[in-house]
Amino acid sequence: MTGVPASAAGGPSGARGTAPAARVPDVTDETGQGEGARGPHESARPVRGGKIGAAAVDQASVWNVANLLTMLRLLLVPGFVALMLGNGGYDPAWRSFAWAAFAIAMITDLFDGHLARTYDLVTDFGKIADPIADKAIMGAALICLSALGDLPWWVTVVILGRELGITLLRFLVIRYGVIPASRGGKLKTLTQGVAVGMYVLALTGWLATLRFWVMAAAVVLTVVTGLDYVRQAIVLRRRGIAERRAALEEAQR
């Protein structure tokens, strides 16, 4: 986060001078609402304590409803595993309860993203924690299904390998910026959720055949969107290196 100018921190300069006060659009808090997000008739209010006060606001803003839903998904993981493996792992009743826990996790994933975008609650924490929460519940479901013999291990390896690889890639390029979840990534998550949810339930007949094709579509989307994230990471890294090089050359002049 950029530093707060002296005028915004209660310094001697203000908006009463002969020249209009300069607008600082780069000062942004953790909710994504910078100085420019205020109404046209609102003036920028000074922040007491300068950087210390701004940091306190940043930390408090992480605890918004979107991030709390993300944390709820993480807490659902152990409960889902216990239900999935209850009574030997093949009891239709226990599998139904496990499906309910899995469905709640998937629904909260849709809601937290919508809330974050609608109410400007997008934070860097949310951009990182959201995909991690998705991968935790999805990974638990895939491993349980493969361990019970309901899903081939190669499907679990392909999906989890892609998910863990992209998560690691996000952290490797975070110095250059954050790779946000794309529309394709959300579609992949939704398709995976439907497919895995159908496998969690004890389905038979044509529904069992249908879930096979839904899972096939999920695997294809997993691979395609994974390659797209790799492309984004390469572009982000190149851009970051170019910007740093330009800034260094400018400083040496």
Side-chain angles (χ1 to χ4, degrees), residues 43-68:
S43 59
R45 296 181 181 179
V47 180
R48 293 182 180 180
K51 294 182 179 180
I52 297 178
V57 173
D58 290 346
Q59 294 175 8
S61 65
V62 171
W63 298 95
N64 59 61
V65 64
N67 288 343
L68 289 176

Side-chain angles (χ1 to χ4, degrees), residues 179-192:
I179 303 176
S182 64
R183 292 183 179 180
K186 286 296 182 180
L187 178 60
K188 177 268 307 177
T189 300
L190 178 61
T191 307
Q192 282 183 357

Side-chain angles (χ1 to χ4, degrees), residues 55-166:
V57 173
D58 290 346
Q59 294 175 8
S61 65
V62 171
W63 298 95
N64 59 61
V65 64
N67 288 343
L68 289 176
L69 288 175
T70 298
M71 296 176 193
L72 173 63
R73 290 210 309 284
L74 289 170
L75 294 176
L76 281 172
V77 174
F80 166 80
V81 173
L83 293 170
M84 187 70 183
L85 301 179
N87 199 21
Y90 298 101
D91 190 313
W94 283 92
R95 294 283 285 259
S96 297
F97 287 125
W99 176 87
F102 183 81
I104 291 174
M106 293 295 100
I107 291 172
T108 56
D109 177 40
L110 298 177
F111 272 112
D112 65 4
H114 175 74
L115 290 172
R117 291 186 297 270
T118 302
Y119 298 101
D120 293 329
L121 300 178
V122 177
T123 64
D124 284 346
F125 169 81
K127 291 178 181 178
I128 298 298
D130 179 73
I132 291 177
D134 295 340
K135 290 160 186 56
I137 188 68
M138 187 63 64
L142 289 168
I143 291 173
C144 286
L145 289 170
S146 293
L148 293 172
D150 294 337
L151 189 69
W153 275 106
W154 72 264
V155 175
T156 296
V157 170
V158 168
I159 293 179
L160 290 188
R162 181 271 191 197
E163 304 299 342
L164 295 176
I166 295 303

